[in-house]
Amino acid sequence: MKIYRLHVLMCGGTQCVSAGGESFESVLKDELKKHNLTDEVQVVRSGCMGACDRGPLMLVYPEGILYQRLKPSDAKEIVAEHFLKGRKVKRLMWTEDGHPYPTMKEVPFFARQTKIVLRNCGLINAESIDEYIAADGYAALGKAITEMKPADVVAEVKASGVRGRGGAGFPTGLKWELGAKSTGDTKYIICNADEGDPGAYMDRSVLEGDPHSVLEGMAIAAYAIGAKQGYIYVRAEYPLAIKRLEQAIKQARAYGLLGNNILGTSFCFDVKMRMGAGAFVCGEETALINSIEGKRGEPHLKPPYPVTAGLWGKPTVINNVETLASIPVILHKGQEFFRKIGTKASPGTKVFSLAGKVNTTGLIEVPLGMPLREIIFDIGGGIPAGKKFKGALTGGPSGGVIPLEHLDTPVDYESLNALGSIMGSGGLIVMDETSCMVDIAKFFLEFTVDESCGKCTPCREGTMQMYKLLKKITEGKGEEGDIEKLEAMGKAIKSTALCGLGQSAPNPVLSTIRFFRHEYEAHIKDKKCPSGVCKMKEEAAVKA
Amino acid sequence: MPKINTLDDLKKLRESAQAALKTRAAEAKARVRVSMGTAGIAAGARESLKALMGELEKHSFCDLQIVEDPTLGPDKNEPIVCVERDGFVTQYVKVTADMARKIAAQHIVNGQAVSEWAVARSKK
């Protein structure tokens, strides 16, 4: 058996790769050759380690030394000093306030997280099924299909209290129960990997970093509801995720973990992939089903819900990537383990992509119910350049802003809803005093206008009218009564749009009006943008 | 790739896959520290380390972690190797490639310290 004294994990997430990870890796490999170390040092590509802002990242075992912001020119020193002589290169370690944190587990950004969905991300070779199996991979599937009845699996997931991580938070166990009770000999399980919120990349990171966890979750779901075929609907803009998934499916088939008579039982299941062309609305389940069927990606009225009449009219359960990736842990460690994490009504963890005006942006996983302050200040390291926190946007174009006075809000489904926002899929955009709330609302409305499929009038026409009003306000042409118009239209669209996209589209506007009405008023009455973001017509005229 | 036909097959595969990843685990049966500063390398520490690893591979013993230290003792004692196993730390000095092979086979793999070469032994 080959022994490597050093295991080097290069973060293979899209951010680290695009920050120059590949060129660093190729110089590193050249240097290893030069020093005759290729026999002693194993270099593998892992999934996203999370601290994307600090990339390219590299983790060196056995000691777990973390190097960050690597440039190809750093490779020579790391090999000659650390790999050859055991002298760690301090200047490339994670440093905060002059204090270096040599290992990953010491860094505050990582130390405060709880990883269930991302349990293997960044810690195993993302392209190796053996490494996934070493990390207890496929043990939950084995347990489910050899020791449990489908109804037991449903009961366990139901008892865990896990809720859909795609945004709406529907109880997963209940969805599976409905799927299992639906009659028909053909049923489907679909993995919704059509992640489209601006700034959100949780699902992509799971698919890139631990694709087998999603396949295993799908197989367990299929067993629970009685499906033989699964589909993964992933957007074509995620080439690395697609590549890793295809590879994972091939490996799982070769081992017989997908296919007929899995682990010698009568359970048969296989997975196909379908690529989406990037329409935001296709993340809505009925539009997604249309798209898989080769039809135009437009939603339809519910009911009928997909659990009764979904893909090709057959009962279909659609779960999000993150939900499916947490299923193996629930079955392997038991629902009690899962329930102990998070809050009573929202058990478990949630992955967020932390973006915007925060010191350490990246991918994090925390127990549900963690106060927003802890996420932004303790994990994210606070606001850069001594600026003040103004608000955090959760739920992307469907969500709302949590202002300073609610910074201690626990981040769970109920608390966010109470503030007029939603959990959403996990995008978390931090804004400081230089961000204009009207401008932010306009940005998201522009996104919705672009992405509205046009099928129903409230969404097609209404969001456009709201956008026009916002544009007018940010140009200094706002009039008395515009805020009230925005509120009235927002409420009307919310209650009349056909699907989730339209029903949630006014949220960013309504929520910023609720907490930052004075900013809207300043734009309209004083013709001033308090944050100095909007180019107001009046101001421009004065200057000229 | 052979198919995994039973739960037992899966368990076996898991155990062998885990064995290959001990370098990344929280702990392993044995931890070996090798002095690899400039003086150590000049005294032949690289050759000794390679011999040690070669011997371990021969025995398929991978339940260990190998850590390099810039220096573990005075230059005149290089190459220096410390073996941590079964709660004890044993130090060997002036370790040649031949000595390294014996330390690997007898101490690291089988748990019997090579007493004639051990210069220090203490509880971990």
Side-chain angles (χ1 to χ4, degrees), chain A residues 127-138:
Chain A
E127 300 185 349
S128 161
I129 187 169
D130 285 7
E131 290 202 8
Y132 179 69
I133 288 172
D136 293 326
Y138 291 106

Side-chain angles (χ1 to χ4, degrees), chain A residues 10 20-32 34-35 37 58 67 69-84 89 91-92:
Chain A
M10 287 296 313
E22 276 176 344
S23 36
F24 171 83
E25 192 180 322
S26 83
V27 180
L28 187 83
K29 284 180 172 162
D30 288 345
E31 289 294 325
L32 287 172
K34 247 186 242 168
H35 286 92
L37 289 171
M58 177 171 82
Y67 290 124
R69 289 188 183 140
L70 296 166
K71 291 189 288 295
S73 55
D74 297 326
K76 198 174 170 182
E77 186 179 350
I78 291 178
V79 173
E81 291 298 313
H82 182 170
F83 294 0
L84 187 66
V89 186
R91 70 172 183 92
L92 297 170

Side-chain angles (χ1 to χ4, degrees), chain A residues 158-217:
Chain A
K158 217 174 160 187
S160 78
V162 63
R163 299 167 64 172
R165 300 292 192 241
F170 190 80
T172 306
L174 186 59
K175 197 186 258 188
W176 287 18
E177 191 175 56
L178 294 168
K181 279 184 183 157
S182 287
T183 45
D185 33 341
T186 308
K187 294 181 187 177
Y188 297 104
I189 168 87
I190 296 177
C191 169
N192 184 349
D194 192 53
E195 184 174 49
D197 286 11
Y201 52 94
M202 299 76 52
D203 296 348
R204 192 196 70 213
S205 301
V206 175
L207 297 173
E208 285 177 1
D210 198 13
H212 286 286
S213 67
V214 180
L215 296 181
E216 187 180 0

Side-chain angles (χ1 to χ4, degrees), chain A residues 433-509:
Chain A
E433 53 193 311
T434 63
S435 313
C436 168
M437 293 298 140
V438 189
D439 184 61
I440 295 285
K442 189 182 78 173
F443 170 82
F444 281 109
L445 248 284
E446 189 178 1
F447 178 84
T448 329
V449 169
D450 264 0
E451 295 294 345
S452 173
C453 78
K455 186 171 177 177
C456 74
T457 315
C459 179
R460 183 186 65 238
E461 302 298 333
T463 57
M464 175 55 99
Q465 292 310 318
M466 285 182 80
Y467 172 70
K468 279 184 180 163
L469 267 180
L470 289 167
K471 192 158 177 279
K472 198 176 102 181
I473 295 172
T474 54
E475 283 169 355
K477 298 176 202 157
E479 293 163 68
E480 198 85 23
D482 280 353
I483 301 178
E484 290 71 21
K485 270 189 207 160
L486 282 171
E487 283 177 324
M489 269 195 280
K491 276 175 201 151
I493 295 170
K494 268 177 87 96
S495 54
T496 54
L498 173 64
C499 81
L501 191 160
Q503 286 157 15
S504 62
N507 284 351
V509 183

Side-chain angles (χ1 to χ4, degrees), chain A residues 3 84 131 134 255 263, chain B residues 4-5 18 24 46 57 68:
Chain A
I3 295 173
L84 187 66
E131 290 202 8
Y255 268 158
L263 292 173
Chain B
I4 304 170
N5 291 317
Q18 278 170 346
R24 288 183 229 166
R46 287 278 304 149
E57 273 178 19
E68 288 185 341

Side-chain angles (χ1 to χ4, degrees), chain A residues 95 244 334-335 373 479 481:
Chain A
T95 309
R244 296 252 167 91
Q335 53 91 5
R373 184 190 296 277
E479 293 163 68

